[in-house]
PDB file of all heavy atoms in Angstrom:
ATOM      1  N   VAL A  26       0.860  -1.180   0.000  1.00 96.00           N
ATOM      2  CA  VAL A  26       0.000   0.000   0.000  1.00 96.00           C
ATOM      3  C   VAL A  26       0.896   1.230   0.000  1.00 96.00           C
ATOM      4  O   VAL A  26       1.743   1.393   0.887  1.00 96.00           O
ATOM      5  CB  VAL A  26      -0.928   0.017   1.232  1.00 96.00           C
ATOM      6  CG1 VAL A  26      -1.833   1.251   1.192  1.00 96.00           C
ATOM      7  CG2 VAL A  26      -1.768  -1.254   1.297  1.00 96.00           C
ATOM      8  N   PHE A  27       0.719   2.098  -0.999  1.00 95.00           N
ATOM      9  CA  PHE A  27       1.573   3.276  -1.139  1.00 95.00           C
ATOM     10  C   PHE A  27       0.883   4.542  -0.639  1.00 95.00           C
ATOM     11  O   PHE A  27      -0.271   4.809  -0.986  1.00 95.00           O
ATOM     12  CB  PHE A  27       1.984   3.471  -2.605  1.00 95.00           C
ATOM     13  CG  PHE A  27       3.020   2.499  -3.081  1.00 95.00           C
ATOM     14  CD1 PHE A  27       2.660   1.389  -3.827  1.00 95.00           C
ATOM     15  CD2 PHE A  27       4.358   2.688  -2.765  1.00 95.00           C
ATOM     16  CE1 PHE A  27       3.612   0.477  -4.263  1.00 95.00           C
ATOM     17  CE2 PHE A  27       5.317   1.790  -3.192  1.00 95.00           C
ATOM     18  CZ  PHE A  27       4.951   0.682  -3.944  1.00 95.00           C
ATOM     19  N   THR A  28       1.621   5.315   0.166  1.00 94.00           N
ATOM     20  CA  THR A  28       1.145   6.613   0.632  1.00 94.00           C
ATOM     21  C   THR A  28       2.111   7.694   0.152  1.00 94.00           C
ATOM     22  O   THR A  28       3.205   7.396  -0.332  1.00 94.00           O
ATOM     23  CB  THR A  28       1.067   6.666   2.171  1.00 94.00           C
ATOM     24  OG1 THR A  28       2.385   6.492   2.712  1.00 94.00           O
ATOM     25  CG2 THR A  28       0.156   5.571   2.705  1.00 94.00           C
ATOM     26  N   SER A  29       1.724   8.948   0.329  1.00 91.00           N
ATOM     27  CA  SER A  29       2.519  10.058  -0.203  1.00 91.00           C
ATOM     28  C   SER A  29       3.590  10.563   0.750  1.00 91.00           C
ATOM     29  O   SER A  29       4.463  11.328   0.348  1.00 91.00           O
ATOM     30  CB  SER A  29       1.597  11.226  -0.574  1.00 91.00           C
ATOM     31  OG  SER A  29       0.879  11.673   0.568  1.00 91.00           O
ATOM     32  N   SER A  30       3.545  10.152   2.022  1.00 91.00           N
ATOM     33  CA  SER A  30       4.528  10.665   2.979  1.00 91.00           C
ATOM     34  C   SER A  30       4.790   9.655   4.082  1.00 91.00           C
ATOM     35  O   SER A  30       3.997   8.728   4.305  1.00 91.00           O
ATOM     36  CB  SER A  30       4.044  11.984   3.605  1.00 91.00           C
ATOM     37  OG  SER A  30       2.917  11.760   4.438  1.00 91.00           O
ATOM     38  N   GLN A  31       5.896   9.834   4.779  1.00 92.00           N
ATOM     39  CA  GLN A  31       6.261   8.934   5.866  1.00 92.00           C
ATOM     40  C   GLN A  31       5.256   8.983   7.024  1.00 92.00           C
ATOM     41  O   GLN A  31       4.845   7.923   7.513  1.00 92.00           O
ATOM     42  CB  GLN A  31       7.665   9.282   6.365  1.00 92.00           C
ATOM     43  CG  GLN A  31       8.748   9.071   5.324  1.00 92.00           C
ATOM     44  CD  GLN A  31      10.094   9.617   5.762  1.00 92.00           C
ATOM     45  OE1 GLN A  31      10.287   9.966   6.928  1.00 92.00           O
ATOM     46  NE2 GLN A  31      11.033   9.715   4.837  1.00 92.00           N
ATOM     47  N   PRO A  32       4.843  10.189   7.476  1.00 93.00           N
ATOM     48  CA  PRO A  32       3.852  10.220   8.567  1.00 93.00           C
ATOM     49  C   PRO A  32       2.547   9.522   8.201  1.00 93.00           C
ATOM     50  O   PRO A  32       1.941   8.845   9.039  1.00 93.00           O
ATOM     51  CB  PRO A  32       3.634  11.722   8.803  1.00 93.00           C
ATOM     52  CG  PRO A  32       4.877  12.379   8.314  1.00 93.00           C
ATOM     53  CD  PRO A  32       5.309  11.549   7.145  1.00 93.00           C
ATOM     54  N   ARG A  33       2.126   9.665   6.953  1.00 94.00           N
ATOM     55  CA  ARG A  33       0.886   9.009   6.543  1.00 94.00           C
ATOM     56  C   ARG A  33       1.047   7.492   6.499  1.00 94.00           C
ATOM     57  O   ARG A  33       0.110   6.744   6.809  1.00 94.00           O
ATOM     58  CB  ARG A  33       0.440   9.531   5.179  1.00 94.00           C
ATOM     59  CG  ARG A  33      -0.196  10.913   5.253  1.00 94.00           C
ATOM     60  CD  ARG A  33      -0.515  11.471   3.883  1.00 94.00           C
ATOM     61  NE  ARG A  33      -1.591  10.758   3.193  1.00 94.00           N
ATOM     62  CZ  ARG A  33      -2.884  10.930   3.422  1.00 94.00           C
ATOM     63  NH1 ARG A  33      -3.274  11.783   4.367  1.00 94.00           N
ATOM     64  NH2 ARG A  33      -3.794  10.272   2.740  1.00 94.00           N
ATOM     65  N   ALA A  34       2.228   7.026   6.118  1.00 94.00           N
ATOM     66  CA  ALA A  34       2.484   5.578   6.106  1.00 94.00           C
ATOM     67  C   ALA A  34       2.392   5.010   7.519  1.00 94.00           C
ATOM     68  O   ALA A  34       1.727   3.993   7.753  1.00 94.00           O
ATOM     69  CB  ALA A  34       3.857   5.290   5.501  1.00 94.00           C
ATOM     70  N   SER A  35       3.042   5.675   8.465  1.00 94.00           N
ATOM     71  CA  SER A  35       3.006   5.215   9.858  1.00 94.00           C
ATOM     72  C   SER A  35       1.593   5.291  10.427  1.00 94.00           C
ATOM     73  O   SER A  35       1.140   4.381  11.127  1.00 94.00           O
ATOM     74  CB  SER A  35       3.954   6.068  10.713  1.00 94.00           C
ATOM     75  OG  SER A  35       5.294   5.945  10.270  1.00 94.00           O
ATOM     76  N   SER A  36       0.901   6.383  10.114  1.00 94.00           N
ATOM     77  CA  SER A  36      -0.458   6.567  10.606  1.00 94.00           C
ATOM     78  C   SER A  36      -1.396   5.501  10.058  1.00 94.00           C
ATOM     79  O   SER A  36      -2.215   4.928  10.793  1.00 94.00           O
ATOM     80  CB  SER A  36      -0.966   7.965  10.214  1.00 94.00           C
ATOM     81  OG  SER A  36      -2.332   8.122  10.532  1.00 94.00           O
ATOM     82  N   LEU A  37      -1.268   5.196   8.767  1.00 95.00           N
ATOM     83  CA  LEU A  37      -2.143   4.194   8.151  1.00 95.00           C
ATOM     84  C   LEU A  37      -1.879   2.803   8.717  1.00 95.00           C
ATOM     85  O   LEU A  37      -2.820   2.045   8.980  1.00 95.00           O
ATOM     86  CB  LEU A  37      -1.943   4.195   6.636  1.00 95.00           C
ATOM     87  CG  LEU A  37      -2.818   3.215   5.846  1.00 95.00           C
ATOM     88  CD1 LEU A  37      -4.296   3.457   6.120  1.00 95.00           C
ATOM     89  CD2 LEU A  37      -2.528   3.325   4.348  1.00 95.00           C
ATOM     90  N   ALA A  38      -0.608   2.466   8.924  1.00 95.00           N
ATOM     91  CA  ALA A  38      -0.280   1.159   9.502  1.00 95.00           C
ATOM     92  C   ALA A  38      -0.903   1.020  10.889  1.00 95.00           C
ATOM     93  O   ALA A  38      -1.452  -0.040  11.245  1.00 95.00           O
ATOM     94  CB  ALA A  38       1.237   0.992   9.572  1.00 95.00           C
ATOM     95  N   GLU A  39      -0.845   2.092  11.663  1.00 94.00           N
ATOM     96  CA  GLU A  39      -1.426   2.074  13.009  1.00 94.00           C
ATOM     97  C   GLU A  39      -2.944   1.934  12.953  1.00 94.00           C
ATOM     98  O   GLU A  39      -3.540   1.169  13.713  1.00 94.00           O
ATOM     99  CB  GLU A  39      -1.045   3.361  13.742  1.00 94.00           C
ATOM    100  CG  GLU A  39      -1.554   3.428  15.172  1.00 94.00           C
ATOM    101  CD  GLU A  39      -1.147   4.710  15.871  1.00 94.00           C
ATOM    102  OE1 GLU A  39      -0.378   5.499  15.295  1.00 94.00           O
ATOM    103  OE2 GLU A  39      -1.621   4.935  17.001  1.00 94.00           O
ATOM    104  N   GLU A  40      -3.582   2.672  12.035  1.00 95.00           N
ATOM    105  CA  GLU A  40      -5.032   2.624  11.924  1.00 95.00           C
ATOM    106  C   GLU A  40      -5.523   1.231  11.528  1.00 95.00           C
ATOM    107  O   GLU A  40      -6.509   0.723  12.077  1.00 95.00           O
ATOM    108  CB  GLU A  40      -5.515   3.653  10.896  1.00 95.00           C
ATOM    109  CG  GLU A  40      -5.421   5.092  11.349  1.00 95.00           C
ATOM    110  CD  GLU A  40      -6.357   5.420  12.490  1.00 95.00           C
ATOM    111  OE1 GLU A  40      -7.359   4.698  12.689  1.00 95.00           O
ATOM    112  OE2 GLU A  40      -6.089   6.395  13.212  1.00 95.00           O
ATOM    113  N   LEU A  41      -4.844   0.606  10.574  1.00 95.00           N
ATOM    114  CA  LEU A  41      -5.247  -0.731  10.144  1.00 95.00           C
ATOM    115  C   LEU A  41      -5.122  -1.726  11.292  1.00 95.00           C
ATOM    116  O   LEU A  41      -6.005  -2.569  11.509  1.00 95.00           O
ATOM    117  CB  LEU A  41      -4.405  -1.186   8.954  1.00 95.00           C
ATOM    118  CG  LEU A  41      -4.605  -0.437   7.636  1.00 95.00           C
ATOM    119  CD1 LEU A  41      -3.721  -1.045   6.548  1.00 95.00           C
ATOM    120  CD2 LEU A  41      -6.062  -0.457   7.199  1.00 95.00           C
ATOM    121  N   THR A  42      -4.024  -1.626  12.038  1.00 93.00           N
ATOM    122  CA  THR A  42      -3.818  -2.528  13.171  1.00 93.00           C
ATOM    123  C   THR A  42      -4.896  -2.326  14.232  1.00 93.00           C
ATOM    124  O   THR A  42      -5.440  -3.296  14.773  1.00 93.00           O
ATOM    125  CB  THR A  42      -2.427  -2.287  13.788  1.00 93.00           C
ATOM    126  OG1 THR A  42      -1.420  -2.511  12.784  1.00 93.00           O
ATOM    127  CG2 THR A  42      -2.181  -3.231  14.954  1.00 93.00           C
ATOM    128  N   MET A  43      -5.218  -1.065  14.523  1.00 92.00           N
ATOM    129  CA  MET A  43      -6.237  -0.769  15.542  1.00 92.00           C
ATOM    130  C   MET A  43      -7.622  -1.224  15.104  1.00 92.00           C
ATOM    131  O   MET A  43      -8.494  -1.446  15.936  1.00 92.00           O
ATOM    132  CB  MET A  43      -6.242   0.733  15.845  1.00 92.00           C
ATOM    133  CG  MET A  43      -4.986   1.217  16.537  1.00 92.00           C
ATOM    134  SD  MET A  43      -5.006   2.993  16.882  1.00 92.00           S
ATOM    135  CE  MET A  43      -6.275   3.079  18.133  1.00 92.00           C
ATOM    136  N   ASN A  44      -7.812  -1.367  13.790  1.00 93.00           N
ATOM    137  CA  ASN A  44      -9.102  -1.829  13.276  1.00 93.00           C
ATOM    138  C   ASN A  44      -9.134  -3.340  13.058  1.00 93.00           C
ATOM    139  O   ASN A  44     -10.032  -3.850  12.376  1.00 93.00           O
ATOM    140  CB  ASN A  44      -9.435  -1.110  11.972  1.00 93.00           C
ATOM    141  CG  ASN A  44     -10.041   0.268  12.198  1.00 93.00           C
ATOM    142  OD1 ASN A  44     -11.238   0.396  12.433  1.00 93.00           O
ATOM    143  ND2 ASN A  44      -9.201   1.303  12.155  1.00 93.00           N
ATOM    144  N   GLY A  45      -8.149  -4.029  13.596  1.00 92.00           N
ATOM    145  CA  GLY A  45      -8.177  -5.481  13.583  1.00 92.00           C
ATOM    146  C   GLY A  45      -7.626  -6.142  12.334  1.00 92.00           C
ATOM    147  O   GLY A  45      -7.790  -7.352  12.157  1.00 92.00           O
ATOM    148  N   ILE A  46      -6.967  -5.365  11.462  1.00 93.00           N
ATOM    149  CA  ILE A  46      -6.349  -5.965  10.277  1.00 93.00           C
ATOM    150  C   ILE A  46      -5.054  -6.638  10.701  1.00 93.00           C
ATOM    151  O   ILE A  46      -4.204  -6.028  11.354  1.00 93.00           O
ATOM    152  CB  ILE A  46      -6.071  -4.912   9.189  1.00 93.00           C
ATOM    153  CG1 ILE A  46      -7.352  -4.127   8.875  1.00 93.00           C
ATOM    154  CG2 ILE A  46      -5.524  -5.571   7.935  1.00 93.00           C
ATOM    155  CD1 ILE A  46      -8.469  -4.950   8.329  1.00 93.00           C
ATOM    156  N   ARG A  47      -4.875  -7.879  10.316  1.00 90.00           N
ATOM    157  CA  ARG A  47      -3.740  -8.678  10.798  1.00 90.00           C
ATOM    158  C   ARG A  47      -2.474  -8.473   9.976  1.00 90.00           C
ATOM    159  O   ARG A  47      -2.518  -8.157   8.790  1.00 90.00           O
ATOM    160  CB  ARG A  47      -4.111 -10.161  10.776  1.00 90.00           C
ATOM    161  CG  ARG A  47      -5.269 -10.538  11.682  1.00 90.00           C
ATOM    162  CD  ARG A  47      -5.631 -11.993  11.494  1.00 90.00           C
ATOM    163  NE  ARG A  47      -4.508 -12.887  11.736  1.00 90.00           N
ATOM    164  CZ  ARG A  47      -4.479 -14.171  11.387  1.00 90.00           C
ATOM    165  NH1 ARG A  47      -5.523 -14.703  10.771  1.00 90.00           N
ATOM    166  NH2 ARG A  47      -3.413 -14.898  11.638  1.00 90.00           N
ATOM    167  N   ASN A  48      -1.332  -8.656  10.661  1.00 94.00           N
ATOM    168  CA  ASN A  48      -0.004  -8.724  10.027  1.00 94.00           C
ATOM    169  C   ASN A  48       0.301  -7.510   9.155  1.00 94.00           C
ATOM    170  O   ASN A  48       0.686  -7.637   7.995  1.00 94.00           O
ATOM    171  CB  ASN A  48       0.128 -10.002   9.194  1.00 94.00           C
ATOM    172  CG  ASN A  48      -0.037 -11.260  10.027  1.00 94.00           C
ATOM    173  OD1 ASN A  48      -0.357 -11.201  11.211  1.00 94.00           O
ATOM    174  ND2 ASN A  48       0.171 -12.406   9.426  1.00 94.00           N
ATOM    175  N   VAL A  49       0.126  -6.326   9.727  1.00 96.00           N
ATOM    176  CA  VAL A  49       0.416  -5.073   9.030  1.00 96.00           C
ATOM    177  C   VAL A  49       1.788  -4.575   9.450  1.00 96.00           C
ATOM    178  O   VAL A  49       2.150  -4.636  10.624  1.00 96.00           O
ATOM    179  CB  VAL A  49      -0.645  -4.004   9.349  1.00 96.00           C
ATOM    180  CG1 VAL A  49      -0.325  -2.692   8.630  1.00 96.00           C
ATOM    181  CG2 VAL A  49      -2.030  -4.494   8.951  1.00 96.00           C
ATOM    182  N   ASP A  50       2.563  -4.073   8.488  1.00 95.00           N
ATOM    183  CA  ASP A  50       3.885  -3.526   8.793  1.00 95.00           C
ATOM    184  C   ASP A  50       4.089  -2.252   7.990  1.00 95.00           C
ATOM    185  O   ASP A  50       3.294  -1.909   7.122  1.00 95.00           O
ATOM    186  CB  ASP A  50       4.982  -4.545   8.461  1.00 95.00           C
ATOM    187  CG  ASP A  50       6.179  -4.412   9.396  1.00 95.00           C
ATOM    188  OD1 ASP A  50       6.367  -3.329   9.995  1.00 95.00           O
ATOM    189  OD2 ASP A  50       6.933  -5.397   9.528  1.00 95.00           O
ATOM    190  N   CYS A  51       5.182  -1.562   8.302  1.00 93.00           N
ATOM    191  CA  CYS A  51       5.453  -0.264   7.689  1.00 93.00           C
ATOM    192  C   CYS A  51       6.917  -0.218   7.244  1.00 93.00           C
ATOM    193  O   CYS A  51       7.786  -0.846   7.856  1.00 93.00           O
ATOM    194  CB  CYS A  51       5.165   0.838   8.717  1.00 93.00           C
ATOM    195  SG  CYS A  51       5.145   2.497   8.035  1.00 93.00           S
ATOM    196  N   LEU A  52       7.191   0.512   6.165  1.00 91.00           N
ATOM    197  CA  LEU A  52       8.562   0.652   5.675  1.00 91.00           C
ATOM    198  C   LEU A  52       8.723   1.993   4.983  1.00 91.00           C
ATOM    199  O   LEU A  52       8.027   2.281   4.007  1.00 91.00           O
ATOM    200  CB  LEU A  52       8.902  -0.477   4.692  1.00 91.00           C
ATOM    201  CG  LEU A  52      10.299  -0.418   4.042  1.00 91.00           C
ATOM    202  CD1 LEU A  52      11.390  -0.548   5.097  1.00 91.00           C
ATOM    203  CD2 LEU A  52      10.446  -1.520   2.995  1.00 91.00           C
ATOM    204  N   HIS A  53       9.607   2.842   5.515  1.00 90.00           N
ATOM    205  CA  HIS A  53       9.913   4.119   4.859  1.00 90.00           C
ATOM    206  C   HIS A  53      11.257   4.638   5.356  1.00 90.00           C
ATOM    207  O   HIS A  53      11.830   4.123   6.335  1.00 90.00           O
ATOM    208  CB  HIS A  53       8.809   5.148   5.087  1.00 90.00           C
ATOM    209  CG  HIS A  53       8.507   5.437   6.530  1.00 90.00           C
ATOM    210  ND1 HIS A  53       9.370   6.126   7.355  1.00 90.00           N
ATOM    211  CD2 HIS A  53       7.415   5.144   7.291  1.00 90.00           C
ATOM    212  CE1 HIS A  53       8.837   6.248   8.545  1.00 90.00           C
ATOM    213  NE2 HIS A  53       7.663   5.648   8.545  1.00 90.00           N
ATOM    214  N   ALA A  54      11.768   5.663   4.690  1.00 87.00           N
ATOM    215  CA  ALA A  54      13.116   6.162   4.973  1.00 87.00           C
ATOM    216  C   ALA A  54      13.236   6.851   6.321  1.00 87.00           C
ATOM    217  O   ALA A  54      14.350   7.084   6.812  1.00 87.00           O
ATOM    218  CB  ALA A  54      13.542   7.132   3.862  1.00 87.00           C
ATOM    219  N   GLY A  55      12.121   7.191   6.946  1.00 89.00           N
ATOM    220  CA  GLY A  55      12.172   7.842   8.247  1.00 89.00           C
ATOM    221  C   GLY A  55      12.444   6.881   9.393  1.00 89.00           C
ATOM    222  O   GLY A  55      12.675   7.310  10.523  1.00 89.00           O
ATOM    223  N   MET A  56      12.417   5.598   9.120  1.00 90.00           N
ATOM    224  CA  MET A  56      12.690   4.591  10.143  1.00 90.00           C
ATOM    225  C   MET A  56      14.192   4.389  10.277  1.00 90.00           C
ATOM    226  O   MET A  56      14.956   4.728   9.374  1.00 90.00           O
ATOM    227  CB  MET A  56      12.001   3.275   9.752  1.00 90.00           C
ATOM    228  CG  MET A  56      10.493   3.389   9.621  1.00 90.00           C
ATOM    229  SD  MET A  56       9.725   1.992   8.739  1.00 90.00           S
ATOM    230  CE  MET A  56      10.119   0.622   9.808  1.00 90.00           C
ATOM    231  N   THR A  57      14.628   3.839  11.413  1.00 91.00           N
ATOM    232  CA  THR A  57      16.045   3.553  11.588  1.00 91.00           C
ATOM    233  C   THR A  57      16.445   2.403  10.675  1.00 91.00           C
ATOM    234  O   THR A  57      15.582   1.659  10.175  1.00 91.00           O
ATOM    235  CB  THR A  57      16.365   3.161  13.039  1.00 91.00           C
ATOM    236  OG1 THR A  57      15.702   1.910  13.343  1.00 91.00           O
ATOM    237  CG2 THR A  57      15.881   4.236  14.008  1.00 91.00           C
ATOM    238  N   ARG A  58      17.723   2.245  10.472  1.00 91.00           N
ATOM    239  CA  ARG A  58      18.199   1.170   9.600  1.00 91.00           C
ATOM    240  C   ARG A  58      17.771  -0.186  10.137  1.00 91.00           C
ATOM    241  O   ARG A  58      17.340  -1.055   9.365  1.00 91.00           O
ATOM    242  CB  ARG A  58      19.723   1.240   9.493  1.00 91.00           C
ATOM    243  CG  ARG A  58      20.312   0.163   8.608  1.00 91.00           C
ATOM    244  CD  ARG A  58      21.816   0.314   8.463  1.00 91.00           C
ATOM    245  NE  ARG A  58      22.383  -0.737   7.644  1.00 91.00           N
ATOM    246  CZ  ARG A  58      23.673  -0.845   7.349  1.00 91.00           C
ATOM    247  NH1 ARG A  58      24.522   0.059   7.803  1.00 91.00           N
ATOM    248  NH2 ARG A  58      24.110  -1.839   6.598  1.00 91.00           N
ATOM    249  N   LYS A  59      17.866  -0.368  11.446  1.00 93.00           N
ATOM    250  CA  LYS A  59      17.464  -1.639  12.061  1.00 93.00           C
ATOM    251  C   LYS A  59      15.970  -1.893  11.843  1.00 93.00           C
ATOM    252  O   LYS A  59      15.551  -3.018  11.531  1.00 93.00           O
ATOM    253  CB  LYS A  59      17.767  -1.597  13.567  1.00 93.00           C
ATOM    254  CG  LYS A  59      17.360  -2.839  14.349  1.00 93.00           C
ATOM    255  CD  LYS A  59      18.192  -4.047  13.945  1.00 93.00           C
ATOM    256  CE  LYS A  59      18.084  -5.199  14.930  1.00 93.00           C
ATOM    257  NZ  LYS A  59      16.704  -5.626  15.227  1.00 93.00           N
ATOM    258  N   GLU A  60      15.153  -0.859  11.997  1.00 92.00           N
ATOM    259  CA  GLU A  60      13.711  -1.000  11.803  1.00 92.00           C
ATOM    260  C   GLU A  60      13.394  -1.375  10.355  1.00 92.00           C
ATOM    261  O   GLU A  60      12.535  -2.228  10.103  1.00 92.00           O
ATOM    262  CB  GLU A  60      13.004   0.301  12.167  1.00 92.00           C
ATOM    263  CG  GLU A  60      12.981   0.597  13.664  1.00 92.00           C
ATOM    264  CD  GLU A  60      12.437   1.973  13.973  1.00 92.00           C
ATOM    265  OE1 GLU A  60      12.510   2.870  13.084  1.00 92.00           O
ATOM    266  OE2 GLU A  60      11.964   2.181  15.106  1.00 92.00           O
TER     267      GLU A  60
END
């Protein structure tokens, strides 16, 4: 799922998880290398 910005990617991943969608993850350049 593609979003236009890093904050929106993180926000969407959180919203899906809170709504019971399983196995959701996030990936963008604002995360640490380990993340």
Side-chain angles (χ1 to χ4, degrees):
V26 181
F27 286 100
T28 62
S29 60
S30 68
Q31 296 171 12
R33 283 175 69 80
S35 298
S36 173
L37 181 57
E39 182 179 354
E40 288 293 339
L41 292 182
T42 301
M43 292 180 69
N44 278 277
I46 307 298
R47 298 175 57 194
N48 300 6
V49 179
D50 212 338
C51 191
L52 177 63
H53 57 70
M56 300 164 63
T57 65
R58 180 177 179 180
K59 178 67 165 53
E60 289 173 335

